Every structure is written in C-alpha cells, then in structure tokens.
Amino acid sequence: MKWSLQELNKKHAVEFDVAFDLTQELTAREPEILDVSTVAVRGRVDADGGIYCLNFAADYTLTMPSCRSLIPVDVPMTFNVSEIFTTQEYFDAHKSDLDADMFFVLDKDVIDLGESVADNILLEIPMRVLTEEEKRSEDMPSGSSWQVLSEEDYLAMQAQENAEVEKKSPFSQLDGLFE
C-alpha cells in the first residue's frame, strides 16, 4: 500500500487495516527468518503541511531456528511504529526548526507502508529464540569435543582457570610476605 504525498495532502488523514505477505522479501533480506505469517497492519497516516506521520501496529508470527538446536520455532510478534516523514525541500526550508534525527526524508513523493512494515520487522527480530522445552531445561547441547556454555558457566570457568594460573606462578609463594 502506497500513498502519494499529493493524495495525503488532499485527504489529510488515511486510516488502514491491511494484511501483507512479506515472506519472500524478508527471507531474502534475512537468512535467519524461515517463514513469516501474514502481517496484519492497522493504523493511519496524517498529513500536516510538509510533515507526514505514519502510525501503525503490526501482528504476525516469525518462524526462526532455535539458537540452541536449530529446530524451527514460531515466535508471535507485535509492535507499534510511529514514523515521521518529510520532503527534502520542506526539510531544507525548515532546517532550523526540525531535528534531523526525528525525520525520514523521502527520496520520492510516496510513502510505502509495505517497505516500512518490512524494515521494522527486521529491526524487531529477537536475538534469542528457544523452543518451550529448551526454555524449561537447563541442558545445553554438546558433542564429542565441544559443548555450549551459559554465560555464567563460562565466567566461572574463566575465573577457575585464572586462579589455577596464579597458583602456578613462581611469585605466588611471595603472597602475604609484607603483611
């Protein structure tokens, strides 16, 4: 769904409730994504002079591999977005009044909802995906010559190794000499 700025200036506000199939685009842009359900998007876009506000909520389900076992996991997701757009001409004319970090300056005179939804889905990808069983279990995967450690276990192992190195030091016998 796209709107021209001319159309938005005439209507001043447009409400929408649409569904997008972004599976092909998102899996091409991010190989970690195995599948995406239909994305339900509802919201509105408002035009005020040369400023355009896009506000929407998106609901969908991502299918991603578990970070431990690589088993596909369905992750229900919901997010809200508020983006502000302007044209380069408007931004240049009002530069002293506008904060450049708050605006997206448009290359074309079009606001593309599908592009915004896809970009924000990529920003919302979870860093850690686990199956329900993996969430309940403390067991980490391991093999014949490797194992996955939690961050706490790794830090404890590093501390133990450092203590052993200090005990083997020829200067460790001098510990407490001047006390």
Side-chain angles (χ1 to χ4, degrees), residues 88-130:
Q88 186 66 51
E89 297 81 27
Y90 186 87
F91 184 76
D92 290 340
H94 299 88
K95 194 177 280 191
S96 61
D97 299 331
L98 303 176
D99 183 3
D101 293 338
M102 294 182 61
F103 290 88
F104 290 103
V105 177
L106 296 167
D107 297 333
K108 301 177 260 177
D109 288 346
V110 174
I111 294 177
D112 185 351
L113 179 62
E115 182 181 328
S116 179
V117 171
D119 289 346
N120 282 288
I121 287 174
L122 292 173
L123 290 172
E124 295 290 327
I125 291 176
M127 296 296 285
R128 185 173 180 197
V129 176
L130 299 170

Side-chain angles (χ1 to χ4, degrees), residues 10 30 41 45 50 53 66 83 85 87-88 91 94 124 136 142 157-158 160 165 169 171:
K10 285 182 187 176
E30 176 54 59
V41 182
V45 60
C53 298
S66 163
E83 296 177 333
F85 299 90
T87 61
Q88 186 66 51
F91 184 76
H94 299 88
E124 295 290 327
R136 289 188 299 268
S142 63
M157 186 177 76
Q158 288 295 94
Q160 183 181 7
V165 168
S169 168
F171 299 109

Side-chain angles (χ1 to χ4, degrees), residues 12-37:
H12 297 290
V14 176
E15 292 191 16
F16 52 86
D17 189 354
V18 295
F20 288 102
D21 181 10
L22 299 171
T23 304
Q24 188 173 11
E25 178 183 350
L26 293 172
T27 54
R29 288 175 65 183
E30 176 54 59
E32 286 286 311
I33 296 175
L34 303 175
D35 193 20
V36 181
S37 69

